[in-house]
Structure formats: C-alpha cells, structure tokens
Amino acid sequence: MINKRLLIKNLLAHHDENSFYDKKRQLNLHSREGKAKFLKHICALSNSNPSNNSYIVVGVEDQDNEIVGDDFFDDSRIQNLVNAFLENPPKIQYENVPFPNLPKDKVVGLITIKAKSKTSFFKKGIHTIQVNSVFIRIGSNTVPVLNKFEKNYQNTETVIGIENNSRNSIGYTLDGVIDFMNFRHKDMASNYKVFKELFVICWAGVPKKVRDKSFYSRVDIELINEQIKLFYSAQDEVTITFDDDTFTIIEYVSLGLNDKTSYYPLEQQTIHFYENGYYKIDRDMLFQPPQFNKKMLFHIYNSNMALLEKLQKGSSLSAREQKDLENLPSTFMICYLNGFDEAKQKLIDAKVLLKPFPAIYLSFKEALRVLRKMKYDRQLPEHS
C-alpha cells in the first residue's frame, strides 16, 4: 500500500518535472482554457508512459518546490471530463493528500495517470486544441506531434523504484492516527475505525441535530494508510455509518431560500474493504433539486444581480443587502437548477467581488463544487 504523502515527497525530491511527472500551483477547471491545458497534460503523460504510472502534483510552487497546497477537490468524476474529450483515455485518479504544515482546509492534489499502451488523442476540440491533436512529453515540456512517434519505455524502472520507496509502514500509520486525533482535530470529536485488521479510517466533525436527524459539520475524513482525505467540507453536513466491511458517507446541501435548515441529500460514498488488502469506493448521486416558483425566482435573481452591480461600483450595502449577499452563492445555484442557465456563469464571474468576504467566498467555492459534481453526473449544461 503506497503512502501518497511519501510518494509526493519522493517525486519532488527525485526529479524536476520530466516525462513521467508534472507539477501545478493549482488546477483551473472552470474555464475551457483551463480544461484544455489539463487535458493536454493528461494526453501527453499518458502517451509518454505506456508501461508505468505517471503523475501530476497540484499545490506546489514551480520555482522552488514549496508545498503550498490547494483546496480540497472531491471531483471523482474528473474521469468523465477526460473521457469526453480524449480517444483511448487513460484511467486517472485524483487524491487529496494532507501535509502537516498546511492548514486543515488545504491539501496537495495527486493525479495518478494509469499506464495505457494505446495512443490518446483529442476526439473533440477544446479552446485552441484541434480535433485529432496528439501530445507527448519531451523532458518537462508538453509538445504536439504531427506524425507517429516512438513509444518511450525508459521510465518504467525509475517510477517503480519511486513507488516502492513510498510504501506505507506501521510507523507511518500510527503517526497519522495520533496527528489526526491529538493535534489537527483536538478541538472537535474525533474517531477511528480499523477495517480488516489493515485499513484505518479517522474522522472528525461537529455533531449537530436538525429536525431530529443527526449530522456532522466541518467534517474531515481520512484513509490513514494511504494519507489521503476521503472527504472534507467546511460547510455541508454529512451522516456517517459503518459496519465491519463498509464505511458510508452521505453528504447533504442546504438549499432553502433564506432557510439554512432545508437539507437535501447530494451524494452517497461507500468504501468497501476486503480481506485481500483491496478496497474500492462507490459513489451514487442522490440529488433531486428543489423546485421553486419561477416568478419569485426571477425577482430574487434580478435583486442579486443588482447587488453584484452595487459591489462592482463600490457602493455600501444595507444590513438587508448584506444578508442577501451571504445567501447569494446558494441563491444563484438554486436559480441555475431551476432553469436560469446563465446563473452559473454569473456566479463564476462574481468570484473577484466575493473574494474579500471570507465566509461568502467559502460558500461560493462550495456552490461551484456541488454544481461540478452534478454536471458530470447529470450532464448539466456547460457554460464555461
């Protein structure tokens, strides 16, 4: 079992960016340009490593390898994005890896691109990338190729060596449990559970009851053996259940208009553990968006647009307008889910205006995270 934190350290220490590994300060999947850049690197790394895994590390400064972290990114459906644009797409996995020196809401992202012998190429164009484009890695550069290219099998031994040097140990596991429960989450209820005498899951959160139902908020859940976060949310509520073989998380979102106690199940995530040291994660989207009166929503939508215009002009807000601003991200999400197709892009465009308000900006990021989940699962319209 590979300790993903140790793997990232070994990747950073062993080589600069090369033909089997790339690093990014952050990913931008909100725009077509950002998606195009991401897909181009996936295509290139896959084509350059037909017999070994390749990696992208997210949350690292390019110049000095400083680990600065990035937001928790729980988009398990990022594979759907790759499948939508690439022919012969590689299997990829995005994992969130905590580091001791980072705030608990920050992680380092690790994208694993599985070995694939067939050549990946773009079956659809995106941004400036044309249909049938093929990319490879030459050193640290991602470059297009026009003709057939020779497959590179020279990285296999090096990558396997790095992976073998990143294996987990009892010491790493014990240190991870102690750090999680006694240091990073000493201010809230923490628990752990051992599955199949091998896997250790730790979780922490603030228990709360809403309408006779028990939830956790400010939830952090980690699979300690591999040093990966399974779930993190500073806002949404979850329920947690488990037995000897499974650990199940159901995430809820609050989507009432000016009502913070209307919870809707968003997604169920179940981790299945097996005696042979294998585990798998199943995810099921449960969400059914609440429907509201269109005439009322039209009035609320226009009021929120006027609110953003006041922010743009630097005008002061009344107490009532300040309250409306706090609800703006969830309000725009409700509008989008009720047929206001432009509401999502308007929310994305408001990022700069909302960033000076930390609590509202956090709600903004949560709203986009939820919409991203639903888009890949339900094929919601894409406006970016």
Side-chain angles (χ1 to χ4, degrees):
M1 195 174 298
I2 293 180
N3 182 312
K4 299 304 171 59
R5 183 192 298 170
L6 191 56
L7 175 60
I8 289 170
K9 288 182 177 180
N10 286 335
L11 285 170
L12 294 176
H14 194 276
H15 279 286
D16 199 354
E17 292 173 304
N18 51 49
S19 55
F20 63 80
Y21 137 69
D22 195 10
K23 60 187 175 185
K24 300 293 176 192
R25 175 61 185 83
Q26 61 184 14
L27 291 183
N28 173 20
L29 299 182
H30 297 314
S31 68
R32 292 186 67 81
E33 180 182 5
K35 291 174 185 174
K37 287 180 179 179
F38 171 73
L39 291 164
K40 179 175 71 172
H41 292 311
I42 295 292
C43 178
L45 286 165
S46 176
N47 289 334
S48 301
N49 295 278
S51 59
N52 58 268
N53 293 335
S54 46
Y55 297 96
I56 300 175
V57 179
V58 182
V60 177
E61 292 288 2
D62 188 49
Q63 298 299 320
D64 56 7
N65 272 3
E66 181 185 1
I67 296 173
V68 294
D70 199 3
D71 292 335
F72 180 89
F73 189 80
D74 67 349
D75 198 346
S76 60
R77 294 165 186 81
I78 198 171
Q79 180 75 57
N80 293 14
L81 174 64
V82 174
N83 293 349
F85 286 92
L86 295 185
E87 191 68 38
N88 301 322
K91 289 185 178 180
I92 67 169
Q93 184 176 24
Y94 192 107
E95 294 170 307
N96 298 276
V97 183
F99 273 72
N101 62 317
L102 295 177
K104 58 186 174 185
D105 63 331
K106 296 293 182 182
V107 293
V108 175
L110 178 67
I111 301 171
T112 302
I113 302 152
K114 303 292 186 180
K116 188 173 185 63
S117 59
K118 290 185 177 180
T119 299
S120 296
F121 61 92
F122 280 77
K123 62 183 178 182
K124 290 198 303 185
I126 180 171
H127 191 50
T128 59
I129 299 175
Q130 302 296 316
V131 174
N132 295 324
S133 294
V134 180
F135 293 88
I136 61 170
R137 295 279 288 192
I138 298 179
S140 61
N141 297 315
T142 294
V143 297
V145 289
L146 298 177
N147 303 309
K148 288 185 177 181
F149 60 95
E150 187 175 340
K151 296 280 187 177
N152 176 16
Y153 295 91
Q154 298 177 352
N155 293 327
T156 304
E157 187 175 338
T158 302
V159 173
I160 290 175
I162 291 174
E163 292 171 344
N164 286 338
N165 287 330
S166 305
R167 296 290 172 184
N168 199 43
S169 68
I170 293 175
Y172 288 131
T173 300
L174 289 175
D175 289 344
V177 173
I178 292 169
D179 177 63
F180 185 97
M181 300 187 71
N182 292 350
F183 295 99
R184 280 189 288 135
H185 298 295
K186 61 184 178 181
D187 59 334
M188 62 178 69
S190 300
N191 299 274
Y192 75 93
K193 168 74 175 172
V194 180
F195 295 87
K196 305 301 179 185
E197 300 181 336
L198 179 62
F199 302 97
V200 183
I201 285 187
C202 287
W203 68 97
V206 178
K208 61 186 292 187
K209 276 203 166 186
V210 178
R211 298 175 181 172
D212 297 323
K213 190 173 182 65
S214 296
F215 295 93
Y216 286 97
S217 61
R218 296 172 55 201
V219 176
D220 188 5
I221 304 172
E222 292 185 17
L223 177 59
I224 299 297
N225 308 68
E226 296 193 353
Q227 288 292 346
I228 58 174
K229 279 186 189 287
L230 296 171
F231 184 89
Y232 179 83
S233 175
Q235 291 194 330
D236 292 344
E237 277 66 30
V238 306
T239 59
I240 295 172
T241 57
F242 55 87
D243 55 28
D244 289 341
D245 303 310
T246 61
F247 187 92
T248 300
I249 309 154
I250 299 179
E251 179 184 2
Y252 292 77
V253 290
S254 174
L255 274 182
L257 288 170
N258 301 318
D259 172 15
K260 295 299 185 184
T261 62
S262 295
Y263 293 103
Y264 296 84
L266 174 65
E267 183 182 48
Q268 176 174 298
Q269 183 177 163
T270 301
I271 304 100
H272 302 266
F273 298 98
Y274 301 94
E275 297 286 355
N276 62 357
Y278 172 74
Y279 74 91
K280 71 171 184 176
I281 301 176
D282 290 332
R283 293 177 173 88
D284 295 306
M285 183 62 70
L286 308 175
F287 188 68
Q288 296 294 330
Q291 299 299 304
F292 293 89
N293 179 275
K294 292 290 180 68
K295 189 173 182 179
M296 176 188 69
L297 279 182
F298 187 75
H299 172 72
I300 293 173
Y301 179 74
N302 286 336
S303 296
N304 278 269
M305 289 299 297
L307 192 57
L308 289 176
E309 189 175 342
K310 288 191 73 172
L311 280 182
Q312 182 77 48
K313 293 178 178 178
S315 305
S316 59
L317 303 182
S318 67
R320 175 63 190 175
E321 288 172 329
Q322 183 65 38
K323 185 67 176 176
D324 289 342
L325 185 63
E326 292 173 6
N327 294 320
L328 185 142
S330 61
T331 300
F332 269 58
M333 180 160 60
I334 288 172
C335 289
Y336 180 73
L337 295 172
N338 279 262
F340 290 70
D341 290 346
E342 72 280 6
K344 178 185 173 185
Q345 189 58 48
K346 295 296 184 184
L347 178 59
I348 293 172
D349 294 342
K351 176 180 179 179
V352 176
L353 298 176
L354 301 178
K355 203 163 188 177
F357 308 93
I360 300 172
Y361 186 64
L362 183 61
S363 297
F364 161 83
K365 292 196 293 185
E366 289 285 296
L368 289 185
R369 179 179 68 85
V370 171
L371 285 173
R372 189 169 58 242
K373 274 190 174 186
M374 289 186 283
K375 180 185 74 178
Y376 290 152
D377 192 81
R378 294 171 172 268
Q379 298 301 310
L380 291 177
E382 181 178 327
H383 302 289
S384 57

